[in-house]
Amino acid sequence: MLTNILPEVLSMVMISIMMLHSSKKQEIFAPRSRWFNICLTCSFLNIFLNIIRTYLIYFSDKMPLWFNYLINSLFFASLAVVMVVLTFYLISLIYKRSQWGFIRRISRVAVLIPASVFFVLSLSSPLTHLIFYFDENKMYYQSKFALISVVSLMFCTLVVAVGIIIVRKSLDHNIIDLTIAITVIIIALLFVQYFIPDIILSGTCIAYTNFLLFISFQNKSVNVDHLTGLGNREAFYNSLICYANMHKEFKVVFVGLRGFKNVNDKYGQPAGDDFIVKVAGFLRSTNNNCLLYRFNGVEFVYLLPQISDSDFKGLLDKITERFSHHWKIGYMQCMINISMAEISYPQDVNNGNDLITMVEGALRLSKSRMPQNTTIYLNQEIRNEIFRRNELVDLIKQATVCRNFSLCYQPVFDCNENRFVSAEALIRMSDAKGQLVSPSEFIPIAEEIGSIVNIGWYVIEEVCHFFSTNRNVNINSISINLSQQHFMEPYLINRIVDTLDKYNVEPSKLKLELTERVIEKDTEHMRIVMNLLNKKGIGCYMDDFGTGYSNLFHVINLPFECVKLDKSLIGDFNNNITSDIGRRFLIESLIHSFQFIGTKVIAEGVEQENQVKTIRELGVNMIQSFYFSKPLSEQNLLDFINNEF
Ligand code: C2E
Ligand code: MG
Ligand code: MG
């Protein structure tokens, strides 16, 4: 008998170890870990009952019959419960997102129906003998209806399989792998059980299922930040979704340290780590009932279920107050600023999907835009801004895949030749309502999400195509704007040259505009790239000079063919550049200095006639402005250029 129940005993040991591990403070997993603890407890009881009942069946002649009936019916009933709780856990993993709330509920009901029948039949079996019975010799038998246990198991597997098929596109791969692994193990063990009926393996099935769930989702190390011991971003999202799915009220507060790079630079990385640990410890101590996560390097996020307004205010005050003082860690002493964002569920956002969008948006805004030591509250303006950005992210991604952009060209006037000699290619994208979105709005987002590289290649290809279909067009070149990420591309130059070759376009027809932001990051790398480009005959322009640091050193030391003076330098000049002697002198000196080193100067954005007149007097080489022409479609550009002659 001992060998028969050995697998069950081992399974019970395995479950006990997991229970021990899970009984430690598991706040980071929040609701799901509570659910998993229920799975473990039910599994433990079930296996325990199975061992006892096996013993009782062996020695049934020595045991009172009522006791045998009781333990066996409890065992079968607990088996039904275990199937339900484990399947519910899997369902909550599969239909994580709140958009699947309805299907999640239907799936649970579908699992509950056969399992409840099994449960009721099991408990009533001492009277009905529908699942099992003992004959007059106290011999144990299973009835035909015992098959309901297999039917319930199949049903659970089916519900999980259907779920995976429905949400396969948005499902993590590890959930699919896990479910396949569980199914394979169950089938394999059922197979073994069929051929060696004396060995009891149901507990092994249950223990392995729990174990797989444990190592995949409940193991602390998967969800813990090792530096601070707090939950990580993944754990935060899991808890957030669980709470939203449970329709619980909660608040999310984001705390980001600002300018932390200075701490690392000044005191070194290890001291920076100590600082983060200290901050985490402080934040952790602010509220006993909070769930705190390390969202990113120096960003923390609280999840505060059912916190009263006064406690919440107290928490924010405590945090703000602490960060208004110095931090002292070892020999290190410094002040650090923070930015905070706050979201209340369901007052600010009332569904799980928008919640994640809002959380991410608020975090981003509080980092990038808010003054230091302030908190972002989700007012309508912020909400609109976050939704707009998300709309643009979707638009950009879609447009990048479908090449749903268009190009327009703004002619550039040459003051010496008195004609339009070139143009700048400017990208255009429309939103869902067909309204044009300004590139100043969507290009920074495209840079953030990495789509800018594809956009750049689209522009290069279109410009080459333009020259190949309009061989006789009377302009010397077209300039395009490239972002920093392009210059990090390993085969940038070869690919540009290949594209020019493909359309049989001379390299001198293409000019690349780059801003100081691009150069700043790695000036030496840029010098190498620009020299190689120049060797291939492709010229580079410095764009928007006058908006950044306006570092003359960059222009002098890098091989620019042209510098474009930004409209802010000239355009907002009280509409009268002649009256401002200082500015006039500065611009004139700039123009002459650039020309002295062989770099031509283009003035951007001079809209008024008197400004155009003045800037020409100051000796600028070219002008690109609305005064001459707004950006034009390809056909309008051709007409515009042809009409000039
Ligand atoms: P930019 O490269 O400095 O382009 C010139 C911008 O100034 C264009 O705005 C143009 O329409 C505008 N402009 C020209 N003359 C005048 C004028 O007289 N008055 C005023 N007020 N504005 C004038 P646009 O097309 O909205 O582009 C804005 C920025 O978006 C561009 O500034 C460039 O930085 C970026 N951008 C545009 N297309 C691309 C692209 O294909 N790739 C990348 N990476 N950035 C692009
Ligand atoms: Mg430009
Ligand atoms: Mg510009």
Side-chain angles (χ1 to χ4, degrees):
M1 188 200 85
L2 257 180
T3 34
N4 292 352
I5 60 166
L6 192 63
E8 294 297 282
V9 174
L10 291 178
S11 306
M12 211 166 82
V13 172
M14 200 164 147
I15 300 246
S16 310
I17 294 170
M18 283 187 271
M19 282 173 87
L20 265 179
H21 195 279
S22 302
S23 66
K24 287 184 209 150
K25 214 169 180 200
Q26 290 275 320
E27 64 193 28
I28 54 165
F29 311 120
R32 196 184 296 143
S33 56
R34 258 169 253 148
W35 196 242
F36 184 68
N37 284 341
I38 295 175
C39 293
L40 287 178
T41 314
C42 294
S43 305
F44 182 88
L45 275 176
N46 176 262
I47 299 171
F48 180 67
L49 285 168
N50 202 11
I51 295 171
I52 304 276
R53 102 185 166 109
T54 313
Y55 179 83
L56 291 177
I57 290 170
Y58 263 86
F59 302 104
S60 57
D61 47 335
K62 296 188 185 100
M63 296 290 163
L65 195 59
W66 68 265
F67 193 56
N68 242 324
Y69 266 115
L70 176 72
I71 296 296
N72 273 287
S73 59
L74 284 179
F75 161 72
F76 282 110
S78 68
L79 192 60
V81 174
V82 168
M83 278 184 211
V84 170
V85 288
L86 283 174
T87 316
F88 272 26
Y89 184 95
L90 282 171
I91 289 174
S92 78
L93 282 177
I94 295 169
Y95 301 109
K96 209 157 52 169
R97 301 214 162 237
S98 63
Q99 76 203 66
W100 302 110
F102 181 65
I103 309 186
R104 187 173 50 231
R105 279 191 290 277
I106 299 258
S107 308
R108 284 184 180 158
V109 173
V111 168
L112 269 179
I113 294 170
S116 315
V117 176
F118 178 35
F119 183 81
V120 172
L121 290 185
S122 304
L123 286 184
S124 61
S125 208
L127 299 174
T128 59
H129 297 187
L130 284 173
I131 301 286
F132 68 92
Y133 62 91
F134 291 87
D135 65 8
E136 52 284 359
N137 301 323
K138 289 192 174 179
M139 285 293 286
Y140 169 84
Y141 293 97
Q142 280 198 355
S143 317
K144 270 188 275 163
F145 276 100
L147 260 184
I148 182 92
S149 63
V150 181
V151 173
S152 294
L153 181 64
M154 293 301 171
F155 214 77
C156 293
T157 319
L158 188 72
V159 168
V160 170
V162 170
I164 287 184
I165 293 168
I166 294 176
V167 296
R168 64 190 176 283
K169 283 196 184 132
S170 59
L171 208 58
D172 296 346
H173 266 284
N174 53 351
I175 297 181
I176 300 179
D177 296 347
L178 172 92
T179 329
I180 294 173
I182 291 176
T183 317
V184 168
I185 286 173
I186 289 177
I187 292 173
L189 290 175
L190 286 176
F191 202 67
V192 174
Q193 178 88 81
Y194 183 79
F195 286 104
I196 320 172
D198 285 345
I199 297 183
I200 303 157
L201 287 174
S202 70
T204 315
C205 280
I206 295 169
Y208 268 105
T209 308
N210 278 297
F211 183 65
L212 287 176
L213 293 177
F214 178 75
I215 50 169
S216 309
F217 302 104
Q218 295 298 141
N219 182 1
K220 257 190 158 183
S221 62
V222 178
N223 289 276
V224 165
D225 166 58
H226 293 288
L227 181 64
T228 58
L230 299 174
N232 59 16
R233 180 205 287 248
E234 181 67 21
F236 166 66
Y237 279 135
N238 283 339
S239 300
L240 190 71
I241 291 165
C242 284
Y243 277 108
N245 289 343
M246 287 155 62
H247 303 289
K248 287 210 172 176
E249 273 191 22
F250 59 86
K251 287 185 194 292
V252 171
V253 177
F254 164 79
V255 182
L257 309 187
R258 306 275 296 255
F260 193 75
K261 192 175 169 296
N262 298 336
V263 178
N264 273 339
D265 290 349
K266 196 165 165 195
Y267 300 103
Q269 193 91 22
D273 284 354
D274 291 346
F275 192 96
I276 290 174
V277 171
K278 179 118 183 187
V279 169
F282 159 72
L283 294 174
R284 187 72 201 78
S285 70
T286 48
N287 184 304
N288 285 336
N289 300 322
C290 69
L291 302 170
L292 180 68
Y293 305 83
R294 186 175 176 204
F295 189 78
N296 251 331
V298 287
E299 291 161 4
F300 299 87
V301 62
Y302 284 99
L303 210 158
L304 302 151
Q306 282 152 342
I307 186 169
S308 70
D309 285 350
S310 59
D311 283 356
F312 183 61
K313 192 176 169 306
L315 173 82
L316 294 191
D317 289 347
K318 240 189 241 175
I319 299 171
T320 326
E321 209 273 327
R322 178 64 191 88
F323 281 92
S324 64
H325 300 296
H326 279 89
W327 292 79
K328 207 166 173 295
I329 298 142
Y331 63 93
M332 169 170 69
Q333 184 168 4
C334 59
M335 283 282 287
I336 195 97
N337 287 316
I338 49 167
S339 51
M340 292 201 275
E342 178 218 313
I343 294 176
S344 301
Y345 183 89
Q347 293 84 345
D348 290 336
V349 213
N350 55 14
N351 71 68
N353 280 339
D354 285 356
L355 181 67
I356 293 196
T357 308
M358 285 301 156
V359 167
E360 287 177 346
L363 302 193
R364 202 179 34 253
L365 286 181
S366 70
K367 262 193 293 182
S368 62
R369 278 236 317 273
M370 293 302 284
Q372 309 207 331
N373 291 347
T374 49
T375 307
I376 277 206
Y377 299 98
L378 259 199
N379 58 26
Q380 197 52 41
E381 196 186 322
I382 300 274
R383 227 190 303 259
N384 290 346
E385 192 171 333
I386 293 171
F387 277 130
R388 171 70 174 166
R389 183 188 183 274
N390 270 27
E391 185 195 346
L392 289 181
V393 167
D394 289 345
L395 270 178
I396 295 167
K397 286 187 178 160
Q398 205 182 335
T400 313
V401 173
C402 312
R403 308 198 108 209
N404 224 351
F405 296 105
S406 62
L407 272 196
C408 61
Y409 301 88
Q410 187 175 27
V412 178
F413 183 79
D414 188 306
C415 301
N416 295 329
E417 294 188 31
N418 253 328
R419 69 173 185 101
F420 292 92
V421 287
S422 65
E424 177 175 8
L426 295 160
I427 191 115
R428 295 291 177 257
M429 182 183 81
S430 307
D431 66 14
K433 292 179 205 135
Q435 305 270 330
L436 273 184
V437 185
S438 161
S440 315
E441 191 183 2
F442 77 81
I443 291 289
I445 300 176
E447 284 175 349
E448 248 176 70
I449 62 172
S451 301
I452 195 70
V453 177
N454 285 333
I455 294 179
W457 289 117
Y458 165 83
V459 178
I460 293 174
E461 185 111 14
E462 282 296 297
V463 168
C464 291
H465 182 258
F466 172 88
F467 277 120
S468 73
T469 47
N470 302 294
R471 296 250 168 234
N472 299 326
V473 64
N474 203 352
I475 50 172
N476 304 337
S477 62
I478 290 181
S479 60
I480 62 164
N481 297 281
L482 286 189
S483 296
Q484 211 247 332
Q485 289 164 44
H486 292 109
F487 290 93
M488 295 298 132
E489 287 265 273
Y491 303 109
L492 174 85
I493 301 172
N494 288 352
R495 200 167 154 187
I496 295 182
V497 172
D498 287 350
T499 315
L500 289 164
D501 286 349
K502 178 174 148 195
Y503 290 94
N504 197 14
V505 175
E506 282 169 44
S508 63
K509 298 250 187 232
L510 188 68
K511 309 290 175 195
L512 307 183
E513 293 192 10
L514 37 140
T515 58
E516 268 185 295
R517 262 192 325 132
V518 178
I519 301 156
E520 252 161 46
K521 298 262 169 179
D522 189 349
T523 316
E524 268 326 293
H525 172 73
M526 285 310 300
R527 184 201 311 285
I528 297 168
V529 176
M530 286 171 71
N531 280 330
L532 287 170
L533 282 164
N534 284 354
K535 264 195 198 145
K536 300 278 180 193
I538 302 162
C540 294
Y541 291 2
M542 164 159 275
D543 199 3
D544 298 346
F545 189 86
T547 52
Y549 295 111
S550 305
N551 190 335
L552 283 173
F553 181 80
H554 285 150
V555 186
I556 293 166
N557 280 289
L558 293 169
F560 283 112
E561 192 177 313
C562 268
V563 173
K564 297 181 83 168
L565 301 184
D566 189 73
K567 50 184 171 288
S568 58
L569 206 64
I570 314 157
D572 66 340
F573 207 60
N574 290 336
N575 291 340
N576 188 1
I577 201 168
T578 12
S579 63
D580 190 335
I581 297 167
R583 173 93 60 120
R584 190 187 158 105
F585 178 74
L586 177 80
I587 295 174
E588 189 171 21
S589 317
L590 272 178
I591 294 171
H592 289 159
S593 310
F594 291 143
Q595 289 170 344
F596 181 75
I597 55 165
T599 306
K600 289 185 175 173
V601 180
I602 302 177
E604 279 190 296
V606 272
E607 291 176 357
Q608 309 295 325
E609 191 175 352
N610 59 338
Q611 290 177 331
V612 172
K613 187 166 164 282
T614 313
I615 204 84
R616 287 188 76 166
E617 280 167 18
L618 298 183
V620 82
N621 299 83
M622 287 169 261
I623 300 172
Q624 175 186 343
S625 86
F626 290 174
Y627 174 76
F628 291 111
S629 166
K630 292 212 161 173
L632 304 166
S633 67
E634 179 175 331
Q635 190 52 51
N636 287 350
L637 175 79
L638 292 171
D639 295 344
F640 183 86
I641 302 283
N642 290 339
N643 288 341
E644 279 300 298
F645 294 93

